[in-house]
């Protein structure tokens, strides 16, 4: 089967952003997501469930103690709902607001930045498909981080504890995936046995 043509450096348009504020915002999000938060910079990350399976993927950004999560507007609602489940006895406030931003995401060279112009933009769904990032349909069917090709970029195994960390680490260090997420030659995501 021929492989779908991946473009590694892409500009994404986003109309909404999830903002987490409060004195515990950074420490709370850092304890939940699979990657370290980068001050004044973007980081890709997963939100895993307690079972180690992917619940969502997104880009994180921290500035002045506030955390910003970038993803498709429909996904942001789900991400916020999932984060609120664990926001017990902490000083955090969640808000999704309008914010037209153009992101440049270069997964091959690990560069992520905000652009000034709206040149050559794609939407989140196209970005997801092009980069073999899990769609909502694939996530809902149950997907482990090591069943994607982005394990080392989206998960920092040296950061310490995060939600689903024990299961994700056990799978990374003791097991091999039996299947892998790919985009086939028709541009459709599927799980293939390996």
């Amino acid at each position: 089967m021929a492989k779908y043509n991946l473009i590694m450096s892409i500009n994404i348009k986003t109309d909404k952003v999830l903002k987490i504020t409060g004195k515990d915002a950074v420490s709370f999000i850092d304890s939940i997501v699979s990657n370290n938060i980068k001050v004044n910079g973007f980081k890709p990350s997963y939100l895993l469930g307690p079972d180690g399976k992917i619940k969502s993927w997104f880009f994180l950004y921290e500035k002045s103690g506030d955390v910003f999560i970038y993803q498709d507007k429909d996904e942001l609602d789900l991400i916020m709902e999932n984060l609120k489940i664990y926001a017990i006895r902490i000083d955090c406030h969640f808000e999704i607001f309008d914010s037209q931003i153009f992101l440049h995401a270069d997964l091959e060279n690990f560069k992520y930045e905000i652009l000034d112009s709206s040149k050559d933009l794609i939407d989140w769904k196209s970005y997801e498909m092009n980069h073999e990032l899990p769609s909502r349909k694939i996530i809902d069917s149950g997907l482990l981080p090591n069943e994607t090709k982005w394990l080392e970029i989206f998960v920092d195994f040296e950061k310490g504890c995060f939600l689903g960390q024990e299961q994700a680490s056990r799978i990374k260090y003791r097991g091999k995936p039996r299947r892998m997420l790919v985009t086939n030659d028709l541009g459709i995501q599927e799980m293939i046995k390996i």
Side-chain angles (χ1 to χ4, degrees), residues 34 45-49 51-56 132-134 139 142-157 162-165 167-172 177 179-181 191:
S34 66
S45 188
Y46 290 130
L47 175 62
L48 304 178
D51 59 359
K53 292 182 180 175
I54 297 171
K55 292 183 102 27
S56 296
E132 297 178 326
L133 289 160
I139 289 171
L143 180 72
L144 297 165
N146 72 336
E147 294 174 329
T148 71
K149 67 184 203 175
W150 302 115
L151 177 68
E152 301 299 329
I153 296 171
F154 278 73
V155 181
D156 182 350
F157 289 100
F162 56 88
L163 189 62
Q165 179 264 334
Q167 291 77 5
S169 293
R170 188 177 308 120
I171 292 165
K172 175 184 169 43
R179 59 189 191 149
M180 187 63 70
L181 173 65
M191 298 301 295

Side-chain angles (χ1 to χ4, degrees), residues 10-19 42 57-61 68-77 79 95-105 113-115 117-127:
I10 290 180
N11 301 331
I12 311 164
K13 177 185 178 192
T14 185
D15 295 319
K16 304 265 185 195
V17 64
L18 170 56
K19 182 178 181 181
F42 287 90
W57 68 268
F58 44 82
F59 290 113
L60 287 169
Y61 185 86
F68 301 86
I69 294 179
Y70 295 90
Q71 221 319 345
D72 180 70
K73 57 187 172 186
D74 295 332
E75 282 294 311
L76 289 177
D77 288 325
I79 293 166
E95 175 188 7
I96 296 175
F97 64 93
D98 294 333
S99 178
Q100 190 173 65
I101 293 186
F102 311 114
L103 298 174
H104 174 74
E113 60 189 343
I114 294 177
L115 300 174
S117 68
S118 58
K119 184 180 173 189
D120 302 323
L121 295 172
I122 65 169
D123 62 15
W124 285 97
K125 300 294 180 201
S126 299
Y127 179 76

Side-chain angles (χ1 to χ4, degrees), residues 14-46:
T14 185
D15 295 319
K16 304 265 185 195
V17 64
L18 170 56
K19 182 178 181 181
I20 301 102
T21 59
K23 71 178 179 83
D24 299 328
V26 174
S27 62
F28 169 66
I29 297 300
D30 191 53
S31 71
I32 295 288
V33 300
S34 66
N35 216 339
N36 281 318
I37 297 174
K38 184 176 180 182
V39 178
N40 294 323
F42 287 90
K43 270 291 194 67
S45 188
Y46 290 130

